[in-house]
Amino acid sequence: MTRIDASWLHDAAAQAVIGALASAGGEGCVRFVGGCVRDALLGRAGGDVDLATTLRPEQTIAALAAAGLKAVPTGVEHGTVTAVSDKRPFEITTLRRDVATDGRRAVVAFTDDWTEDAHRRDFRLNALYSDGDGRVFDPVGEGVADARAGRIIFVGDPRRRIAEDHLRILRFFRFFAWFGRDEPDPGGLEACRSMAAGVDRLSAERVSAELMKLLAAPDPASAVRAMEAAGVLTRVLGTPADVRRFEAAARRDADPLVRLSALWPDDRAFVAAAARRLRLPKTAWARLEAAAEPLALDEPTERAARRLVHAVGTRAATDRALKSPAGAAAEVVLRVAGDWTPPALPVGGRDVARLGVPAGPETGAVLRAFEASWAADDFPMDDVPGRLAAAVRAGRGSGR
């Protein structure tokens, strides 16, 4: 039998949860499940540690309480209870089978059959279980082999799995980005292509969460190309993507927002609307909107790069450079943005007032004129009063 070793197998908090459930239902009533088992099998550091059990939710809650552990009924209608052990959450779900699905939600019935539970999961490499001693159970029969070979294959009929939850289309590409090798499974890819319209029925939050996880993969290029070929990428983004630009940007930077920006066109209005449609956080869509312009540099010099960084900000200048074609302009902007901090404007409204300019719109006009001249001269700090006086004279001479 395959065995795994992982830090969570020796974790007192996790073992306390295992022990609490085993006390109520016997040692065989609870196993670790899914991603934590898969990641341990592959020698990867995992994230959440989830468990499955034959106990019903009310039995799980009672068992945790008897062991002095907090139980949070996070989704009891679907069999999920969250245990809190040593201040950390462990999601526990009763074995189940689907009774009815609509592509977004499922009505489930509880079961004590591990094989039945495994056959309702999305991919064979995720239908893996482990007991507290690290023994791996593979009810589908191919999960261990798939994980080791980098195969992302649906459990059973791909079309049926997708019909149960259309999010599995995006999960197919996301898991391929993180765990896949060679080419995507042809049967799964064809099912995603033929059922791509199901993505339109998903909530924006679910779509954006999967997209950002996919783009965070070390090398998501193959998965993104497969999404494009299947007609899924355009549905998610709302427009055809520049995949070549994306691939270049993905090689240069691992930030998912830089990679997403490279997929979208340099169109601020479109990007702002698309980011809001995906319900991205306000900070994210503001950053994406600021990046949605071509890298405009008069000449590939540090002086010109400093003017750009000062004008649009370090983050926006960096993002524009990262998604631009490699070349002297992009490199000099990245170098300047990494090494130079734009200086604060050395004058303000009080300085303008001392020169006899009344408070009001004229003050702002003078400051803008000063800033433009100051930036054009590469931000000199010598003779600032004289430069400000020149800006006042120029403003009055223009009739403002």
Side-chain angles (χ1 to χ4, degrees):
M1 173 173 276
T2 301
R3 284 183 175 270
I4 57 172
D5 191 20
S7 59
W8 42 264
L9 283 171
H10 311 289
D11 179 13
Q15 288 296 328
V17 176
I18 286 273
L21 300 184
S23 295
E27 291 186 4
C29 83
V30 58
R31 294 172 182 170
F32 297 102
V33 64
C36 62
V37 180
R38 176 202 63 226
D39 290 346
L41 183 68
L42 297 175
R44 299 191 183 194
D48 296 335
V49 177
D50 298 330
L51 300 103
T53 182
T54 58
L55 297 176
R56 299 301 192 259
E58 64 276 10
Q59 294 174 307
T60 297
I61 292 171
L64 294 171
L69 298 175
K70 183 178 179 181
V72 182
T74 45
V76 290
E77 69 278 8
H78 289 97
T80 302
V81 175
T82 298
V84 181
S85 179
D86 193 22
K87 300 181 180 180
R88 285 180 288 142
F90 295 86
E91 191 172 277
I92 308 163
T93 302
T94 300
L95 303 188
R96 54 194 179 170
R97 57 183 173 83
D98 290 336
V99 175
T101 60
D102 65 1
R104 291 179 296 175
R105 308 174 191 84
V107 177
V108 301
F110 302 135
T111 178
D112 58 5
D113 187 333
W114 292 94
T115 299
E116 193 171 29
D117 183 79
H119 277 86
R120 68 169 299 278
R121 295 183 178 270
D122 50 8
F123 308 111
R124 300 188 317 199
L125 84 169
N126 289 338
L128 297 173
Y129 307 79
S130 164
D131 65 14
D133 295 323
R135 291 180 297 179
V136 175
F137 298 85
D138 185 0
V140 174
E142 299 287 348
V144 170
D146 283 355
R148 287 173 171 167
R151 296 190 297 258
I152 312 302
I153 300 179
F154 283 97
V155 175
D157 179 8
R159 293 179 63 87
R160 180 175 178 180
R161 293 286 83 78
I162 292 172
E164 292 167 347
D165 186 351
H166 299 306
L167 190 70
R168 287 171 174 170
I169 295 172
L170 301 183
R171 286 172 64 83
F172 176 79
F173 297 107
R174 194 247 290 186
F175 279 98
F176 183 74
W178 280 95
F179 300 101
R181 294 202 294 270
D182 302 323
E183 297 296 322
D185 172 59
L189 188 62
E190 173 55 26
C192 290
R193 185 202 63 77
S194 65
M195 302 180 73
V199 171
D200 300 341
R201 299 181 58 196
L202 298 169
S203 71
E205 292 83 357
R206 297 184 82 198
V207 171
S208 60
E210 286 297 321
L211 177 62
M212 299 310 289
K213 289 176 184 177
L214 186 159
L215 294 177
D219 183 8
S222 294
V224 168
R225 285 197 301 270
M227 285 181 74
E228 181 188 39
V232 174
L233 188 61
T234 298
R235 288 184 177 276
V236 171
L237 297 177
T239 186
D242 187 340
V243 175
R244 288 189 177 181
R245 183 170 79 163
F246 162 77
E247 291 176 342
R251 287 192 295 269
R252 300 176 87 177
D253 198 87
D255 189 328
L257 286 178
V258 169
R259 293 170 170 184
L260 177 56
S261 181
L263 285 168
W264 272 331
D266 289 330
D267 181 332
R268 290 180 71 111
F270 172 84
V271 168
R276 290 181 177 92
R277 176 178 58 82
L278 285 176
R279 304 286 179 85
L280 293 172
K282 185 175 181 179
T283 53
W285 63 251
R287 178 179 163 190
L288 289 163
E289 183 181 358
E293 290 191 15
L295 182 66
L297 213 60
D298 297 335
E299 54 184 356
T301 65
E302 291 194 357
R303 182 168 176 156
R306 283 191 287 270
R307 287 199 300 273
L308 176 68
V309 171
H310 171 262
V312 305
T314 301
R315 180 73 269 171
T318 299
D319 288 347
R320 293 179 192 181
L322 286 170
K323 65 185 180 65
S324 296
E331 296 310 315
V332 73
V333 169
L334 291 174
R335 184 168 64 252
V336 167
D339 296 339
W340 181 72
T341 300
L345 191 69
V347 295
R350 291 183 179 180
D351 301 296
V352 177
R354 291 190 190 101
L355 295 177
V357 177
E362 189 177 350
T363 297
V366 168
L367 289 174
R368 288 191 295 274
F370 173 88
E371 186 172 18
S373 173
W374 181 60
D377 290 340
D378 205 22
F379 312 98
M381 300 304 292
D382 61 301
D383 193 23
V384 169
R387 292 176 180 276
L388 181 60
V392 170
R393 290 194 298 272
R396 287 174 172 168
S398 66
R400 281 200 300 266

